[in-house]
Amino acid sequence: LDAATMNTVSSLRVNGLSSYNNNLYFLAHHLLDGFGLYQLNTNDFSVSIVKTINPNGTNQTREGIIVRLNKMTFKAEAAKGEMETWVSDGTADGTKVLFDPYLSAGNSTDLLATNSTHLFFRGWDGVENKIWKSDAISAFPLETPFQVFSAIAHNDVVYFLGKDMVSLLSGLYNFDGSRFVLLKSFVGNNLYEIISHKGKMYFSMV
């Protein structure tokens, strides 16, 4: 950019900026509109609000906007105080909490991993926290025979680190589309973090 093309968006505390469907979107707090999702017109640099997420909130988000499954996803605090995973197609009606049938204080969703077809997140089912599978439109809980520490999509397969609460063995699992499969168990170790790097997965044990 040169000096003639540089412009600023005033009166907003911008948190994230993302390109989606040839438009620019960002999360921000405005003194009048509150915290929400905004669209920036790059022709005249006008700003319009897509949807107010929390009219009384500030920059309550843990990350910026990430495009997954052809939708924008982001973490944000709703009006009731829950930190939720949101999805948006760039419209007000299409901007909503990913899925939480039990919206109440303290029950938050936590996005774990995404492959080319589904999002996997942790959320409350009314009794306990479970792992959910979603196509960004609807979601359903998965029977998870272990406590989940973390997850990652590697070569489009989703892998989980977890601990079987019966045997107390930690292990590496994958999800084959319908169920969890234990690939390897580890005695006396808790597995906390997993990353993908140069075609391999690495994880830490404590």
Side-chain angles (χ1 to χ4, degrees):
L1 294 176
D2 55 33
T5 59
M6 292 184 67
N7 289 271
T8 61
V9 178
S10 61
S11 303
L12 289 165
R13 285 183 284 175
V14 177
N15 183 274
L17 185 66
S18 179
S19 175
Y20 174 74
N21 285 352
N22 298 317
N23 294 307
L24 288 179
Y25 295 87
F26 59 91
L27 299 168
H29 174 257
H30 189 274
L31 293 177
L32 297 179
D33 295 323
F35 179 76
L37 178 66
Y38 294 79
Q39 181 179 345
L40 173 64
N41 186 322
T42 55
N43 293 321
D44 60 7
F45 293 96
S46 61
V47 173
S48 59
I49 186 166
V50 177
K51 186 167 186 174
T52 297
I53 293 172
N54 190 340
N56 301 315
T58 54
N59 281 34
Q60 298 299 318
T61 180
R62 293 179 182 171
E63 60 181 34
I65 299 171
I66 302 175
V67 177
R68 302 178 172 99
L69 303 186
N70 198 33
K71 290 184 184 291
M72 292 180 285
T73 65
F74 53 90
K75 294 283 289 188
E77 185 179 33
K80 292 184 179 181
E82 316 87 7
M83 188 64 72
E84 299 287 354
T85 300
W86 292 69
V87 295
S88 176
D89 61 2
T91 67
D93 289 342
T95 302
K96 53 191 176 181
V97 172
L98 172 63
F99 187 75
D100 191 348
Y102 299 94
L103 265 177
S104 59
N107 294 337
S108 300
T109 55
D110 182 23
L111 187 62
L112 296 171
T114 308
N115 62 9
S116 62
T117 58
H118 289 90
L119 305 165
F120 294 82
F121 64 95
R122 193 189 338 252
W124 189 255
D125 72 345
V127 178
E128 60 182 344
N129 273 311
K130 286 190 174 181
I131 304 303
W132 299 72
K133 177 182 174 182
S134 172
D135 57 4
I137 299 174
S138 59
F140 60 91
L142 302 174
E143 290 299 325
T144 311
F146 54 91
Q147 177 187 358
V148 174
F149 295 135
S150 59
I152 193 173
H154 177 74
N155 294 334
D156 210 38
V157 177
V158 178
Y159 295 86
F160 294 82
L161 295 180
K163 186 172 187 177
D164 187 315
M165 300 312 294
V166 176
S167 67
L168 299 182
L169 294 177
S170 296
L172 175 66
Y173 299 78
N174 74 353
F175 186 74
D176 67 1
S178 60
R179 63 189 181 93
F180 291 95
V181 178
L182 175 62
L183 302 178
K184 187 175 179 61
S185 60
F186 303 87
V187 178
N189 292 290
N190 288 329
L191 311 175
Y192 287 110
E193 187 177 15
I194 184 169
I195 65 169
S196 179
H197 178 68
K198 293 184 177 180
K200 293 184 178 181
M201 289 184 293
Y202 296 82
F203 51 87
S204 60
M205 297 188 296
V206 178

